Amino acid sequence: MTDLAELIDLLDLAVVRAGGVAPPDAVARAADAARRARTRRALLTDTVVVALAGGTGSGKSSTLNALAGHRVASVSAFRPHTDEALAWIPVDDDVVVRIMDDLGIRRRAENDVLPGVAVIDMPDMDSVVSWHRHIVEELLPRVDLVVWVTDVVKYNDPLLHEAFLAPMVRYREQVAFVLNKVDLVEEGAVPGLVEDLRSSLAADGYDEPVVLPTAVGSTTRPRGIDELAKLLRSRRDTKWLVVDKLVTDIEHAVRALAGSVDTWRGTGLLAFPAGDPEERIREQLEDLMRGADVTTRGVIEEARAGDELDTARIHRHLADRALLGATLAEAAVRARQLRSELERPVP
Ligand SMILES: Nc1nc2c(ncn2[C@@H]2O[C@H](COP(=O)(O)OP(=O)(O)OP(=O)(O)O)[C@@H](O)[C@H]2O)c(=O)[nH]1
Ligand SMILES: [Mg+2]
């Protein structure tokens, strides 16, 4: 999303160039919009950031490998295995990199398989206290989705529900569930297990929880992974709406600033040959005064106030105005480009 950063830079540049050129209240509003956009942008990327969490051995690392279609994370039959979080992230997403820095996740692998998706394979948490600190306080506020991976054997452990799932309930929109290792039970038993997990989650306060049955062990052909990838893509669409909204806000700010000053009219005066009769210039200015924006009118009035016509002052103003016009035009074009990229169908 470097384009979004560039777009905000252009709005900032326009704000600087609008100083003394556009009406102060219009400049202040544009500056406000730029500031707001920058704050939101700092937290925003169109990559959906997902953390795989859950008890040891439930198959978090195996799920990551199944999503990638190759071995990204180490999997083992010995518990606990993953001892440090691993982030599988798209290249060139500086916001995602910053999120991983903030979370202190140093191990990273490149995702060139699933566009717009970053997956964190979390280690097992050794205590309820560290779980709360890592997942509830640090992870949930920073990621888009936590996929809780459990399996057909352990999903109904009361400790799991009381100690781990209940405290996350206020983030329920951000939590989805995977019921892994369904290859270990009869095919016909799977829907009943999914329902069972759904109703215990409902008792924990998760109404309408998303529960996906999967089998991702290396010896079995992955099952349920397409559905999981689809869920991640649909979350990504929702994020795009947010990015789209930000671009729209910037476009409005650009348009409002452009509307507050007549950026091009009268620019021809810049090319006025030196030594042109003053009378001629005054006539042209008279023309320009009619329907000129308020700042330009003020500048012309000032320039005409003295005994001598201050043509340099007028030229400076027209040049500044034209520069602002060029910056705003470029911002408008960038915004349109970015929007058309956002409208591209999700791969
Ligand atoms: N039968 C079966 N075995 C699985 C499945 N998914 C994972 N396993 C096995 O379960 C064991 C643990 O899998 P991991 O992916 O390492 O589990 P994890 O959640 O990352 O575990 P930690 O890193 O210790 O937290 C491995 O031996 C896997 O091969 C599955 O769907 N079916
Ligand atoms: Mg693991």
Side-chain angles (χ1 to χ4, degrees):
M1 291 302 294
T2 47
D3 286 351
L4 187 52
E6 282 168 18
L7 181 59
I8 300 171
D9 285 346
L10 274 172
L11 181 57
D12 270 337
L13 185 61
V15 166
V16 171
R17 290 186 168 161
V21 173
D25 57 331
V27 181
R29 273 196 299 274
D32 247 16
R35 225 182 349 263
R36 271 198 313 272
R38 198 168 287 288
T39 314
R40 277 161 64 202
R41 141 84 198 167
L43 306 167
L44 190 66
T45 158
D46 66 346
T47 299
V48 67
V49 182
V50 184
L52 300 172
T56 182
S58 58
K60 300 175 293 293
S61 301
S62 305
T63 301
L64 170 57
N65 291 342
L67 278 168
H70 61 270
R71 186 176 168 283
V72 176
S74 163
V75 167
S76 164
F78 299 102
R79 306 270 69 82
H81 183 57
T82 306
D83 55 5
E84 197 186 328
L86 165 70
W88 184 60
I89 56 180
V91 273
D92 289 345
D93 191 323
D94 50 339
V95 178
V96 169
V97 167
R98 204 164 53 240
I99 293 172
M100 299 311 151
D101 288 347
D102 276 1
L103 289 168
I105 298 175
R106 289 166 302 174
R107 289 178 61 221
R108 298 175 195 181
E110 186 183 318
N111 164 14
D112 52 8
V113 177
L114 274 187
V117 176
V119 181
I120 309 170
D121 176 21
M122 295 297 292
D124 178 50
M125 299 293 151
D126 52 7
S127 69
V128 175
V129 176
S130 79
W131 149 262
H132 203 275
R133 202 179 63 239
H134 281 106
I135 306 286
V136 182
E137 290 164 31
E138 290 179 8
L139 199 67
L140 274 162
R142 288 183 176 86
V143 304
D144 299 297
L145 186 68
V146 165
V147 172
W148 174 269
V149 182
T150 184
D151 64 47
V152 290
V153 182
K154 297 193 201 135
Y155 76 92
N156 249 344
D157 177 357
L159 177 73
L160 167 82
H161 288 268
E162 278 162 36
F164 299 109
L165 298 184
M168 287 199 303
V169 80
R170 70 192 159 99
Y171 291 99
R172 59 180 165 270
E173 304 296 321
Q174 258 177 275
V175 186
F177 300 86
V178 155
L179 181 61
N180 190 31
K181 305 191 185 180
V182 294
D183 56 304
L184 297 182
V185 298
E186 291 285 328
E187 182 69 40
V190 176
L193 292 176
V194 169
E195 258 331 292
D196 196 27
L197 175 55
R198 281 176 60 97
S199 52
S200 40
L201 287 170
D204 293 334
Y206 295 85
D207 23 75
E208 299 296 312
V210 176
V211 176
L212 299 175
T214 61
V216 294
S218 49
T219 50
T220 54
R221 234 185 88 241
R223 269 177 55 192
I225 279 300
D226 289 348
E227 288 73 10
L228 180 57
K230 197 167 142 206
L231 172 74
L232 304 188
R233 276 199 299 271
S234 78
R235 293 291 171 137
R236 190 181 168 217
D237 289 351
T238 323
K239 283 204 87 171
W240 278 26
L241 294 179
V242 181
V243 176
D244 194 65
K245 166 86 171 60
L246 184 52
V247 176
T248 307
D249 290 351
I250 295 172
E251 270 179 320
H252 282 158
V254 166
R255 221 171 293 139
L257 192 51
S260 74
V261 45
D262 195 354
T263 43
W264 298 113
R265 232 182 113 245
T267 314
L269 281 174
L270 284 171
F272 233 71
D276 227 46
E278 193 176 306
E279 211 32 52
R280 174 101 183 83
I281 301 179
R282 284 188 185 274
E283 266 170 38
Q284 298 259 340
L285 289 179
E286 202 47 53
D287 242 19
L288 183 56
M289 278 295 267
R290 276 190 284 277
D293 62 82
V294 61
T295 323
T296 302
R297 271 211 309 277
V299 168
I300 295 174
E301 269 160 14
E302 244 178 72
R304 293 197 301 203
D307 294 340
E308 292 218 346
L309 180 65
D310 187 354
T311 46
R313 173 76 188 94
I314 296 169
H315 278 179
R316 222 172 27 247
H317 174 68
L318 295 178
D320 289 348
R321 240 180 42 170
L323 204 55
L324 172 63
T327 312
L328 290 169
E330 195 184 341
V333 168
R334 283 293 176 87
R336 221 172 18 245
Q337 272 170 357
L338 196 53
R339 179 182 305 291
S340 71
E341 277 171 31
L342 290 175
E343 277 163 9
R344 268 204 313 247
V346 184

